Amino acid sequence: MPSASSAVSDSSRPVPSSLWRDGDFRRLWVGQTASQLGEHACLLVLPLFAVLTLDAGAGQLGVLRAVGQAPILLLSLFVGAWVDRWRTRTVMVLTDVGRTLALGVAALAGLLGWLGLPALLVVAFTVGGLSVFFDVAYQASVVRLVKRDQLVRGNSALEGSRSAAQIGGPALGGALVSLLSAPIAAASGALFFALSFLSIRRIRRRESVPERSERPPRIWRRIHEGLRFVVSDTSLRTVCLASAAFQFSFAAMMTVYLLFLPRELHLSGTAVGLSLAATGPGALLGSLLAARLPSRFGHGTVLVSAAALGDGAFLCVPALHRSSVVTVPALLAVNFVFGTGGQLVTVTVMAVRQAVTPDGMQGRAAATITFVGMGLTPLGSLLGGFLAEEWGLRTSLLVTAAGMMLSPVLMALSPLARLGRALPALAGGAADPRSPEC
């Protein structure tokens, strides 16, 4: 439960009816945008550098992506239990500092000619680990800054910032690798994390965090509480299973995809970056639609239909060929549709999860879902590399894209598909600590 002083602080500074009039929310939005821009640039810079400069094979690329995703599996549950006991602003600021330093060192190593595959593995793991802290903290911060009836709008705004990052990040990363060098591309990511630090550190509102006891429960007990809470709720349990199916298949597909575009379709690094950047405008549209469609058609209907549309778009990619004049436009369309559907699902799922989760459980619930949903992504990346070597790029891309369709099927067969226009109540009938009645 929140401490008395925190509760007084929150009630004395109510969130304005318009989120954009709230200076602290604007600072969080700016910091989130900069952080996601740096993160999405790095997600393309490191693999492209390995493929185009180090001539990495499918297996090596799979290992690189798996190493960058491994912190999700190794750290998520511990991070969730830890974040619930700390102010999210502090966590986000420290992780931004860490990622800035990691990429700054990588840029220096690259300029000195030391940025080989081993160094890339170290950088990928470090940035990935710190990003786990940041992502869990920013999701918990939304609940501590805004009221329950503003969750969808708040998440829509923040996911819109992630959409902007998806527009600029891949395009910037691909262009810098192709036109300049990987060290400069890494340095650009460091600058974005530094900007995020400067913005988030200016947040002034005192957060409502659970009061610490003299003898806090052991970390494993707190992790178990988060796991038990998620498993006991039907909606959250379904989100975990559907997310796991999607993220595993998506990780495998992306490993093949990042090889398919430059080697099968012979696209340059800039073209690859621009193609992936098309996800951004689609995600921006998805963020705008997510603020309206669930309340009009129902949260369950939006979740299932958006997932089926977005994930199914990638089934068209294996049919593309280098000589076709529609290749690049088709890739732009596929990524746009995927971004729209994916963002609709992300915003809607986040609002549902936050609505049914008590305030003191937000970090652990987010981390548990991240752990279950994305914990298998390292294995997915390794599988993608293995399939690409054994079956060829085109066949592997079709198989892994088809695997992504398991996610909307799982949601359609569950009670999650029957969620109505209103957000569900807090699990167990708990009161919302941000409501006026509390």
Side-chain angles (χ1 to χ4, degrees), residues 94-333:
L94 292 177
T95 55
D96 279 333
V97 171
R99 290 186 292 184
T100 301
L101 293 175
L103 288 178
V105 171
L108 179 60
L111 292 173
L112 296 175
W114 298 341
L115 194 62
L117 187 59
L120 283 177
L121 294 175
V122 173
V123 172
F125 185 85
T126 302
V127 174
L130 293 173
S131 293
V132 171
F133 278 88
F134 186 94
D135 291 344
V136 172
Y138 102 78
Q139 291 182 52
S141 72
V142 181
V143 184
R144 298 178 187 179
L145 286 178
V146 306
K147 295 180 181 178
R148 184 175 186 273
D149 60 359
Q150 294 176 316
L151 282 177
V152 172
R153 283 182 288 171
N155 285 318
S156 179
L158 288 172
E159 288 303 308
S161 75
R162 191 162 69 94
S163 305
Q166 289 174 325
I167 296 173
L172 177 63
L176 289 177
V177 170
S178 295
L179 301 177
L180 300 174
S181 66
I184 294 179
S188 69
L191 291 176
F192 287 119
F193 291 135
L195 175 60
S196 176
F197 162 79
L198 292 174
S199 180
I200 291 176
R201 71 185 294 269
R202 295 179 61 239
I203 294 177
R204 294 291 178 258
R205 181 173 301 140
R206 186 175 182 181
E207 297 177 25
S208 179
V209 296
E211 188 175 296
R212 301 180 194 177
S213 60
E214 294 182 0
R215 298 184 63 184
R218 293 183 178 181
I219 187 72
W220 288 109
R221 178 182 171 185
R222 294 178 60 79
I223 290 174
H224 179 261
E225 290 172 352
L227 287 168
R228 184 175 58 186
F229 174 78
V230 171
V231 170
S232 65
D233 185 87
T234 303
S235 296
L236 297 183
R237 187 168 62 246
T238 303
V239 167
C240 281
L241 294 176
S243 178
F246 167 78
Q247 295 293 349
F248 177 79
S249 300
F250 181 68
M253 190 277 298
M254 279 301 295
T255 299
V256 182
Y257 192 58
L258 289 173
L259 291 166
F260 183 81
L261 296 185
R263 294 186 178 174
E264 193 75 20
L265 301 183
H266 299 276
L267 298 181
S268 66
T270 301
V272 172
L274 291 175
S275 297
L276 294 177
T279 304
L284 183 59
L285 175 61
S287 294
L288 297 175
L289 295 176
R292 298 172 175 83
L293 294 188
S295 60
R296 181 173 181 181
F297 298 105
H299 290 75
T301 299
V302 170
L303 281 174
V304 175
S305 58
L309 179 65
D311 298 350
F314 273 105
L315 291 171
C316 304
V317 177
L320 299 177
H321 295 275
R322 176 187 181 186
S323 59
S324 176
V325 296
V326 301
T327 296
V328 173
L331 287 173
L332 294 174

Side-chain angles (χ1 to χ4, degrees), residues 339-359:
T340 302
Q343 196 75 332
L344 266 170
V345 173
T346 298
V347 175
T348 307
V349 161
M350 192 177 295
V352 170
R353 190 262 298 165
Q354 291 170 340
V356 303
T357 304
D359 196 44

